[in-house]
Amino acid sequence: MKKFDAIVIGGGMVGAATACGLAMQQQRVAMIDPVSPAPFDPSLDPDLRLSAFSLASGKLLQQLGAWPLIEQMRLTPYTELQTWESGMTQRLTFDCEQINQPQLGWMIENRLVQLALWQRCEQLGVAIFPWQDWQLDQSHSEFVSVQSGGEQLMGKLVVGADGANSRVRQQAGIGVSGWDYRQRCLSMNVKFTTPISSVTWQEFHPSGPRALLPLYDNYGALIWYDKSATIKQLQKLSAANLKAQIEKAFPKLESDFELLDWASFPLVRRHAQRYIQGRIILAGDSAHTIHPLAGQGVNIGFKDVAQLLKLAHEYEGQNVSVWGGQYQRCRKADNLMMQSTMDLLYKSFSHPHPAVAAVRKLGLQLAQNSGALKKQALRYAVGV
Ligand SMILES: Cc1cc2nc3c(=O)[nH]c(=O)nc-3n(C[C@H](O)[C@H](O)[C@H](O)COP(=O)(O)OP(=O)(O)OC[C@H]3O[C@@H](n4cnc5c(N)ncnc54)[C@H](O)[C@@H]3O)c2cc1C
């Protein structure tokens, strides 16, 4: 039987960040995850799973000491975000200069962020257990036990960060509400023949947005959201045929490109009914999944981590029941607002009615010229 202050279940980006942060507060921490991130190999093409990290997420990774490790691998700053509706000339542009920042954020492969955080966990003495099948036992008042095979860990706090299909959430008996968007997202890595700009953009179509994420060394990611059936058909095409479809469906790209790799992901919105149950707390995708059109999923997960670490520090040594309610109130409301904003965007841009289209056009014009309000929205999105 091994005793810990905290046991983090799931060592994805959110779980590993939580484990690091708690270990930096001198807590004895265990992290459970059956899959460790593969080592960095600079000769390989970028992974398909990558995210746009906000300035606030960059700050958290700095505080956790993971940022220099990520910089030693690779990341791509982006300086401008443009969005528009297909067939319309009006663009909504967000520029880092509007908020006096050198960039709006960074495109980074998820695995590299996770890898840097695992390296920090090892440096900080986090005990890592490669378990997949474990059982939670909450019958003791002083601790939660996690058992696998003949082994048992005891923790005063258990953080469930085991992703969208969280087993922690299920074993804690926490329900979820949500829906399937009946859409998929096709993520395609490409290599351009000439350098492209550091602008990320999104073009809205009634069937879903299409987007470009710029990456290092002429690489980029093209993202295509559409009905599940359409995406599944596209996914089966040969590289040459899929490239031909991209050329028809996307706006003209800055340069010719080679299509390297592609995969699709289902889009599901979920929200846990509670973030806390006894000594168990949920964070990241185990608590919420969101439409990825504005690239906020891991960023709101990192906001959970920042809040959890802040409260754990403020209430050092105290039972999670003292501060868990505060964590839930703060994070649930913020995450719900972000989920609802994404849904509003998604629904309004996919609505074909001409009256809605006219309101949309007016909305884009107003937003583009809204000055202080636009700056405020941008500050909220990037977290400064
Ligand atoms: C198509 C798409 C594009 C996206 N783009 C962006 C973007 O641009 N920006 C952004 O911010 N977000 C984006 N997201 C969301 C982002 O990828 C997720 O929010 C983020 O990966 C969640 O991290 P997490 O650590 O909470 O969960 P996960 O990354 O799912 O990690 C969960 C961890 O738990 C482990 N685990 C699972 N089961 C068990 C078990 N039984 N026991 C122990 N461990 C277990 C897994 O091995 C894994 O390491 C996107 C999502 C999708 C689907």
Side-chain angles (χ1 to χ4, degrees):
M1 194 188 293
K2 300 185 175 97
K3 291 183 182 169
F4 293 93
D5 296 313
I7 302 172
V8 179
I9 305 187
M13 295 184 284
V14 168
T18 309
C20 264
L22 293 172
M24 286 171 79
Q25 294 177 15
Q26 315 307 327
Q27 300 207 34
R28 286 161 304 158
V29 183
M31 185 168 80
I32 300 177
D33 198 312
V35 190
S36 55
F40 175 57
D41 179 349
S43 68
L44 294 182
D45 290 338
D47 292 346
L48 278 165
R49 290 301 300 254
L50 50 94
S51 300
F53 290 81
S54 67
L55 299 178
S57 293
K59 189 172 158 201
L60 177 73
L61 291 163
Q62 282 276 9
Q63 287 163 351
L64 297 174
W67 194 253
L69 301 170
I70 297 169
E71 281 181 319
Q72 280 165 24
M73 294 183 279
R74 57 196 182 202
L75 50 76
T76 314
Y78 66 97
T79 55
E80 195 177 314
L81 164 67
Q82 294 186 5
T83 184
W84 66 91
E85 184 171 359
S86 96
M88 302 279 179
T89 48
Q90 179 68 53
R91 286 185 181 216
L92 181 57
T93 309
F94 297 100
D95 190 317
C96 59
E97 284 175 11
Q98 288 162 353
I99 50 167
N100 303 319
Q101 296 288 335
Q103 64 269 311
L104 289 179
W106 303 268
M107 304 298 173
I108 321 178
E109 293 148 80
N110 293 1
R111 179 176 57 91
L112 302 187
V113 173
Q114 188 194 10
L115 188 60
L117 288 163
W118 274 56
Q119 285 168 4
R120 284 293 292 144
C121 281
E122 278 159 24
Q123 288 168 3
L124 291 159
V126 172
I128 298 177
F129 296 85
W131 299 350
Q132 172 140 26
D133 289 323
W134 38 261
Q135 293 299 325
L136 289 178
D137 178 358
Q138 287 201 80
S139 60
H140 312 273
S141 60
E142 298 300 308
F143 60 88
V144 180
S145 105
V146 189
Q147 296 167 39
S148 179
E151 285 192 88
Q152 185 182 14
L153 311 181
M154 281 162 48
K156 292 182 199 153
L157 167 70
V158 166
V159 180
D162 52 340
N165 299 312
S166 173
R167 182 178 162 122
V168 176
R169 191 180 65 220
Q170 287 160 21
Q171 290 202 9
I174 300 175
V176 275
S177 55
W179 57 79
D180 188 330
Y181 290 97
R182 296 204 204 131
Q183 280 216 323
R184 291 182 81 86
C185 156
L186 183 62
S187 187
M188 300 166 282
N189 277 355
V190 299
K191 184 142 193 183
F192 292 101
T193 47
T194 55
I196 56 160
S197 62
S198 58
V199 176
T200 181
W201 53 254
Q202 190 150 45
E203 182 182 67
F204 280 92
H205 291 250
S207 57
R210 288 156 210 174
L212 167 77
L213 313 183
L215 295 176
Y216 65 94
D217 288 353
N218 296 8
Y219 286 104
L222 297 173
I223 316 288
W224 189 339
Y225 300 89
D226 216 309
K227 287 191 204 75
S228 299
T230 309
I231 294 293
K232 282 181 181 164
Q233 293 259 320
L234 288 167
Q235 208 178 339
K236 284 189 215 147
L237 296 176
S238 66
N241 287 342
L242 181 55
K243 185 176 178 203
Q245 293 302 321
I246 295 169
E247 283 164 345
K248 273 196 226 156
F250 276 67
K252 184 150 178 49
L253 298 169
E254 282 176 66
S255 136
D256 191 18
F257 63 90
E258 181 194 353
L259 186 57
L260 301 172
D261 197 8
W262 60 94
S264 80
F265 307 94
L267 304 182
V268 182
R269 170 177 163 158
R270 297 181 192 83
H271 207 170
Q273 278 153 6
R274 304 168 57 83
Y275 286 13
I276 174 156
Q277 175 66 53
R279 289 175 175 271
I280 298 173
I281 272 201
L282 301 181
D285 274 21
S286 70
H288 44 76
T289 60
I290 180 173
H291 196 296
L293 71 85
Q296 287 295 338
V298 76
N299 293 309
I300 58 174
F302 277 166
K303 283 172 90 176
D304 295 347
V305 177
Q307 181 70 11
L308 191 154
L309 294 177
K310 178 172 172 281
L311 291 169
H313 181 60
E314 269 172 37
Y315 292 91
E316 189 189 338
Q318 297 193 51
N319 189 327
V320 59
S321 64
V322 178
W323 53 269
Q326 208 175 320
Y327 167 79
Q328 171 170 282
R329 265 192 306 284
C330 164
R331 293 309 309 141
K332 206 166 177 225
D334 192 43
N335 291 330
L336 185 62
M337 189 168 94
M338 190 59 92
Q339 283 181 322
S340 308
T341 309
M342 290 312 111
D343 285 351
L344 185 70
L345 270 176
Y346 165 72
K347 281 186 185 140
S348 65
F349 275 100
S350 54
H351 206 295
H353 195 283
V356 180
V359 172
R360 232 168 21 223
K361 190 174 168 202
L362 183 66
L364 274 179
Q365 263 167 11
L366 288 174
Q368 176 63 2
N369 298 310
S370 67
L373 200 63
K374 188 171 139 190
K375 256 190 217 173
Q376 195 64 25
L378 183 55
R379 283 188 184 284
Y380 175 68
V382 300
V384 290

